[in-house]
Amino acid sequence: MEHLKARIRHVPDFPKPGILFYDITTLLADPAGFRETIDALTAPHAGQGIDRVVGIESRGFILASAVADRLGAGFVPIRKPGKLPSTTLGESYALEYGTDSLEIHDDALGPGHRVLVVDDVLATGGTARAAVNLVQRLGSTLHAAAFLIELEFLKGRDKLTDVAVTSALRY
Ligand code: AMP
C-alpha cells in the first residue's frame, strides 16, 4: 500500500490552519492508482451480498460509485442539506464549532438492502456516524463502512463501535 500512499498529496493548512489535508486527486488521476484504490476498497467486501453502496458527498461519490460497479451493486448518495430533490431523512452531527448535517432520499434504502458505506477519509468519525445512522434509520442491514484513509490518531472508530470498519491506508 506504500505506493498508493506515495501518490497522495499532503497539503498543510488546508482548508484552515493546522489541518493536514490528504489530497487524493493525485492518486485518482493515475490510471493504476485509481484501479488499485478501488481494488483495495472493494476486496474486503466482495462476495458478501452487498446490493447498495452509499457514498458521502463529495469525494465519497467518486469512490463509492466505482466500488458499487465492481460489486454489481447500486449507488446511493448521501448529500449536504438541500441538494437532494425528493423527500429526505436528515441527520445532524457536531463539528469542532457548530453542527453540520447530511441527507438521504427516504426511499433510497429499505429493510431488504445490504449496505456498504464508503468515504475517502475517516477522521473524527462524525460524518461516518451520521451516514450510518441514516442507513440504520431506513431499516437496512449495514454490512460495513469502508474508507480509503483512516487517521487513527483522531479515533473515528470510537464513534463506530457497532459497525464493521475497514480502511486501506492508515496514518
Ligand atoms: P470526520 O467527520 O471528522 O471523520 O471527517 C470526515 C470527512 O471530512 C470526510 O468526508 C473527509 O472527506 C473529510 N476530511 C476530514 N479530515 C480530512 C483530511 N485531513 N484530509 C482530507 N479530508 C478530510
Side-chain angles (χ1 to χ4, degrees):
M1 291 297 139
E2 289 307 312
H3 62 297
L4 294 184
K5 279 190 173 182
R7 293 192 190 283
I8 293 172
R9 177 162 53 195
H10 295 185
V11 183
D13 300 319
F14 183 88
K16 56 183 184 181
I19 304 287
L20 177 63
F21 193 87
Y22 290 75
D23 174 18
I24 63 169
T25 63
T26 42
L27 173 64
L28 302 183
D30 179 72
F34 188 29
R35 189 181 328 106
E36 288 174 36
T37 294
I38 302 306
D39 289 345
L41 274 166
T42 307
H45 308 292
Q48 293 173 54
I50 292 161
D51 58 1
R52 294 291 184 276
V53 178
V54 167
I56 306 172
E57 186 172 3
S58 59
R59 289 179 296 278
F61 288 176
I62 303 163
L63 302 174
S65 59
V67 169
D69 184 60
R70 201 67 76 78
L71 291 174
F75 168 77
V76 172
I78 283 184
R79 298 206 65 179
K80 310 270 166 63
K83 302 276 191 181
L84 289 168
S86 188
T87 53
T88 58
L89 205 60
E91 187 79 31
S92 295
Y93 57 100
L95 299 174
E96 197 180 354
Y97 301 102
T99 61
D100 216 338
S101 52
L102 291 172
E103 293 179 348
I104 191 169
H105 274 144
D106 58 12
D107 61 354
L109 296 173
H113 294 129
R114 187 169 186 83
V115 175
L116 180 68
V117 170
V118 171
D119 203 4
D120 62 336
V121 175
L122 176 62
T124 66
T127 306
R129 182 72 247 174
V132 161
N133 288 351
L134 290 171
V135 171
Q136 291 174 335
R137 284 170 61 196
L138 288 175
S140 297
T141 300
L142 181 70
H143 172 77
F147 303 91
L148 176 59
I149 294 166
E150 178 177 3
L151 305 181
E152 289 183 305
F153 54 95
L154 293 175
K155 303 195 182 305
R157 279 185 195 246
D158 291 355
K159 290 201 181 75
L160 301 171
T161 50
D162 57 330
V163 179
V165 175
T166 64
S167 58
L169 310 174
R170 301 194 187 102
Y171 295 85

